[in-house]
Amino acid sequence: MITGLFNNWIVIVLMMSGLYIVIAHGNLIKKLIGLSLFQTSVFILYISMAKVEGGTAPILAENIKELSNPLPHVLILTAIVVGISTTALGLALVIRIKEAYGSIEEEDIQILDNLPQSKTQKKIMDGEQ
Amino acid sequence: MNDLFAVVMLLGIYSLLSASFFVAMDAVDVAFTEAAVGAGISTLLMLVVITMTGRKENTKRHKPFLALIVVIFTGGLLLYGTFDIPHFGSADSPIHNHVTPRYINDSINEIGIPNIVTSVLASYRAFDTFGEVVVIFTAGIGIMALLSVAHHSEDNHKIAAVNDSMHERYLVIRIVSKILIPFILLFALYVQFHGDFGPGGGFQAGVIFAAGIILYSMLFGLSITRKVISQPFIQIISAVGVLLYGSVGLVSLLQGGNFFDYNVLLTDPVAGQHLGILLIELGVGCTVTSVMIMIFFNFAERRELQQHNNIHNKDLES
Amino acid sequence: MLHLPILQVVIPLMAAPLCLLLKRPQLVWLFALFVSTVAFIISLLLLQQVSTTGVISYELGGWQAPWGIEYRIDQLNALLLIIISATSTVVLIAAQTSIEKEIPKNKHTLFYILYLLSLTGMLGIVSTGDAFNVFVFLEISSLSAYSLIALGKKRQALWASFQYLIMGTIGATFILIGIGLMYQMTGTLNMEDLSQRLPQVAQTKTVFTAFTFIIVGICLKLALFPLHLWLPNAYAYAPSIVTAFFAATATKVAIYLLIRFTFTVFGLSFSFTTLPLQGLFLVLGLMGIIVASSAAIYQKNIKHLFAYSSIAQVGFIIIGLSTNSVMGLTATLLHLFNHAIMKGAIFLALGAVVYQIGNSQLVNFSGLGRKMPLTMAAIVIGGLSLIGVPLTAGFISKWYLLTALIENNWWPVAILILLGSLLTVIYVWRIVEVIYFKEPLAENTSVTEAPILFLISIWTLIIANFYFGIDTRFSVQLTQSAAQSLFGLSP
C-alpha cells in the first residue's frame, strides 16, 4: 500500500518546496525558479500516473502487449511549452523591472513604490497615473 | 543558497534528472522535450538574465510564516487526496480503461502511424496542440512588446567591437562548435520528420534548431547572426507557423469536414491524416524555432543595450 | 452555420498573426475592429442557434467526444460569448485614440496582436467542453494579459504585471493539478463525460482534493476576496483600454468557469450538498463587498477606486451563486452581463480622462463636469448603475439578487447587501462632488471634451445600460433559461 503511493508523496514534497520558494523568497528570479519547480513537479505527477507495470513507451511495435498511457504524455508536452512560455515572459519582466527600479528584490521595489506616494501629497502631477 | 548562478545550474540538473525519470516512466517524448526545454533553453535564458541583474540574492526571507502556512495547508490537502489515488503502475486504474484504449488499439488503423503520442497530439487532440503553439506565439509577441529596442546603428559598432574581442578569445570552442552546428541543425530536421515513428516532432525539432542558431550567435556575436537571420524575418516565420497550422484546419472546413478533420484532406483518409500531421508539425516547428530565437535575440539585445549604456556612462565620467 | 462554434474562436486567433504581417498600426486597428465585429456577429448567430435547436456540440477533428476535443455551446456559453465579443468590439473603437498617448508608436501593432490573442483566449475558455483545453486557452489569455498590463506607462505596471504573473501561474497550476487528479479518477477530460463519471467516485478523497484545487485556482483568477491582491494594481497601471476590456470581461470568464465546474462538471449535489461551498461563498462574498467597498472609499486614484469596486461586485455575483436557487443564479448571470456594461463604460470614460489630462487622480477631476460634460455624465451614470438606481441595468440585477435572498429568507444577508450598496453610494458621491462642485485646477482650465471615437464607445455602453435597465426581456429571458438549464430544469 505504501509503495503504491510513494511517487505521489515525492511529488508533493517537490511541489511544496516550489510553492514555498515562490512565496517566501523576495528575489524575483528565485520566485520564477520556484514557479518552474512547482510546474515541473506537476509534470511528474501526470507522467507517473501514466505508467503501467511492465509496459513500454507508447510506440507501436511487434511483440509488445502492454503500453503506457499516451494521453498524459500529450498533456504534459503541452504543459511544458506553457511552462517555458510563462518563465520566459516572467524573465523578460524581470529585466524590465531591473531597469526601472534598479533592483529585483521584492522589498526594495515595494519601498520604491511607496516612496513617491508620500511625496505626492504636494505635487500630484508627477504622481501615479 | 543565495548564489543565483548555482541555483539556476541546480534547476538545470533537476530538469535533466526529471527527464531521465520520464524515460524510466516510458514517456520518451516528454523526456526529450523536458531535456531540451528545462535543461536547455530555460537554463540558458535564466543565465542571460542573471548576467544582467546580478547573481546575488538578498538572504532575507520576507513572508516565511505565510509561506509555511500555505505550503502546509496545500501539502496536507494533497497528501489527503493521494490516499484514494489508484496505485502506481496498476493496469486497472480508470485512466487505462476509459478513452485511452481506443488510442492504443485503433490509432494504427485510424491514423496509421506507430507513435501513439504523436497521433493523439497531432490528430485526436490537435486543437490542444494548436493552442500550445498559440501560447508560445503569445509569449514571443509579449516579450517583443516588453523588450524590443529601436536600433541606433551608429551605437552598434562600439558594442560589436567589445563583443568581437570577447568572441575571438575562445578559438577551440569556436572551431569545435562550428563543426557541430550543421549536425545540430540536421538532427533537428531528422527529429522534425521522424516524429511519426519515434519520439520527436515539431516542438522538439524547433527547440533543437533554435539551440543551434543560439549557439552560433553566442560564439560569433549577435551582429553577425543578425545579418544571417534578421528580426523581421523571424517574426514573419513565427506568424507563418501559426497560420500554416490554422489553415490546415480551414482547408478541412472547406473540404466539408470539421475543423482539423484530416480525413477529408485527401481521398484516402489515412493518407490525409499523414499529410495533416506533417503540415501541422511543420507549423509547430516554424513557430517554435522562430519564437525561441526571437526570445533569445530580444534578451541578448537588451543586454547589449545595457552594456552600451554602461560604456556610455563610463565615457561620460571620464 | 455548422461551423460557427469553431469560427468564433479561430477567426480572432488567425487574425492575430496576420496583424504581424500587416504592420501599419492604423490598418491593424481597423482589421482588429473588423475581426472583433465578426466575432460579435457570430456570437449573436450562435445564441439564435442555441435558442432554436438547443445545445450545440462540435467535434474538433471529427473525433467523437471523449476521444477528441469537443466544443459545446449552451445558453450560458452563448451569453458569455456575447458579453466578451461585444465589449471587445466597443472598447476597440476607442483603442486607437487612447493608445496613441499611452503606448509608444512602435508597439501599437504588438498591442493589437496581444489584444486579439487575449480575446481568443477568453472565447476559447468559454466555448470548449474539454477540461484540459480550458487550461490551454486560459494560458493564452493570461500570457497576453500579463504582457498587455506591462505595456502601461508607469514602472508600477511592470511590478503589477509580475505579481499577476506569479498569482496567475499558481492559479493555473492549481487548476492543472485538479484536472490531473480528476482525470486520474475518471479517465476522461471531457466535461460532459466527467459529469457522468464523477458521481461514481464522488466520495473519494482524491475527488475532494481535485475539486478544492480547481476552485481555489479559479478563485485566484477571479480575484475573490481574499485572493484579490493582484487586481487593484493590475487594473490601475495597465493602459486604459486594457483595463476597460479586462474589467468588463476577465473576471466574468473566471466566474463562468466557476459556474461550469460547480454546476456542470461536479454537479450540484456534490458542490453544494456534500461540501460547504454555499456557506463559504456567502461569507467570502459578503466580506469581499464590505472590505473592498470600504477600501474603495479611501482611494485617491479613480482607477484604483473602481478596481476595488470590481472586487466588491465579484462579491455580489458570488452571493447570487451561494443561494443555490434558480433566482439567485439568474441574478448572478444578470449581474455578469450588466456589470460588464457599466464597468466597461466607466473605465473607458476614465481612459478618456487620462487621454485629456494624463492621469486619473481624483484631485484632477475637480470641475471637469463643465469641461468634459459627456464623459463625466457617463462616469456618474455608470456609478448610479453600480449603486443600483432604478432605470439603470444595475437596478435589475440587484433587484433579482434581493428577491433571491428573500426567497431563501436570508434577511440579514439582504440587509448587508443594502449596506454594501450604501458604501457604493459613498464612493460614487465622492466623485460626483469633485466633478461638479469644485473649481477646475489651474492646469486643467483648457481641457476639452474627449475625442469623438471615445464618446461613441462610451455612450454605446451607457445607452445599453439604460436599455437593459428598462427593457429587460432579452437579458432576463436569456439568463433565466440559462439558469434553469444549469439546474437541470427544462426552460
Side-chain angles (χ1 to χ4, degrees), chain B residues 74 77 80-81 84-85 94-95 98-99 102-103 123-125 127-128 135 142 145-146 235 253 257-260, chain C residues 3 20 58-59 61 63 67-68 71 107 130 132-133 137 140 147 150 183 185 187 193 197 204-206 208-209:
Chain B
T74 20
L77 185 64
Y80 173 76
D84 283 336
I85 275 184
I95 62 166
H98 185 59
V99 179
R102 170 159 173 188
Y103 298 146
S123 187
Y124 292 105
R125 295 186 70 89
F127 197 65
D128 264 353
V135 167
L146 282 172
Q235 290 173 16
L253 278 191
N258 275 0
F259 202 75
F260 287 137
Chain C
H3 299 296
L20 200 54
Y58 185 86
E59 289 160 351
W63 300 112
W67 293 280
Y71 263 21
K107 288 179 180 167
D130 187 279
F132 192 79
N133 203 235
F137 277 81
I140 296 179
S147 326
Y183 171 67
M185 296 312 285
D193 204 20
R197 295 175 65 92
T204 56
K205 296 171 182 125
T206 312
F208 167 75
T209 308

Side-chain angles (χ1 to χ4, degrees), chain C residues 57-135:
Chain C
S57 161
Y58 185 86
E59 289 160 351
L60 281 153
W63 300 112
Q64 241 178 324
W67 293 280
I69 291 168
E70 179 196 26
Y71 263 21
R72 206 177 170 82
I73 315 279
D74 63 10
Q75 272 158 325
L76 177 63
N77 304 91
L79 171 73
L80 262 294
L81 290 175
I82 288 180
I83 295 178
I84 296 167
S85 54
T87 39
S88 147
T89 311
V90 177
V91 167
L92 265 178
I93 295 175
Q96 181 61 25
T97 324
S98 173
I99 65 171
E100 229 170 63
K101 286 204 179 169
E102 294 190 35
I103 297 175
K105 193 105 192 153
N106 60 338
K107 288 179 180 167
H108 283 191
T109 307
L110 297 177
F111 166 82
Y112 289 115
I113 298 175
L114 290 169
Y115 187 98
L116 281 176
L117 286 170
S118 161
L119 173 67
T120 306
M122 292 190 212
L123 291 174
I125 295 170
V126 173
S127 307
T128 191
D130 187 279
F132 192 79
N133 203 235
V134 167
F135 169 74

